[in-house]
Each structure stands twice: as structure tokens, then as C-alpha cells.
């Protein structure tokens, strides 16, 4: 069974990256953190597509 907490962390970090991109920032520590949490979630069986779709959905809901 996949770890929901790893997924939530990756989604949260993905949302932070989306916020930065919206502000015109395309590099920095948040991107490194997001890469690491995404890789951890992927190792646990989540796909990048699942993480990305959920981050985009939640980000859009905050606009």
C-alpha cells in the first residue's frame, strides 16, 4: 500500500513550486525540496502524473 503522507508532502511541495513559477521564479531551494519529495513518493509507487495533477488541482482551487 502506498504511503499517503509521502504523496501529500510531494503535492504540498509541488504547490509551492507552482506558486514560485507564477511569480517568475524558476530555481531555488523549493525546487530541490520538491524534487526530493517527488522522488520519495515515486519510490513508494506514486507516479509523477498523479502528484502533478493533484498539485495543479489544489493550486487552481486557491486562485
Amino acid at each position: 500500500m502506498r504511503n499517503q503522507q509521502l504523496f501529500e508532502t510531494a503535492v504540498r511541495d509541488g504547490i509551492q513550486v507552482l506558486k514560485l513559477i507564477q511569480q517568475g521564479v524558476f530555481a531555488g531551494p523549493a525546487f530541490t525540496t520538491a524534487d526530493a519529495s517527488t522522488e520519495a513518493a515515486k519510490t513508494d509507487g506514486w507516479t509523477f502524473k498523479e502528484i502533478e495533477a493533484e498539485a495543479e488541482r489544489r493550486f487552481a482551487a486557491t486562485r
Side-chain angles (χ1 to χ4, degrees):
M1 184 170 187
R2 300 184 295 183
N3 185 322
Q4 187 68 30
Q5 187 172 0
L6 289 174
F7 177 74
E8 292 297 330
T9 299
V11 169
R12 181 197 68 219
D13 293 345
I15 291 168
Q16 291 303 321
V17 165
L18 291 171
K19 288 178 183 177
L20 289 171
I21 290 171
Q22 185 181 36
Q23 296 169 8
V25 177
F26 298 98
F31 288 82
T32 304
T33 300
D35 285 346
S37 64
T38 297
E39 286 305 313
K42 285 171 49 183
T43 299
D44 195 53
W46 297 96
T47 67
F48 178 78
K49 211 170 197 88
E50 289 172 310
I51 297 163
E52 179 184 44
E54 185 62 17
E56 288 176 349
R57 185 189 69 74
R58 292 183 192 181
F59 179 69
T62 66
R63 288 183 175 175

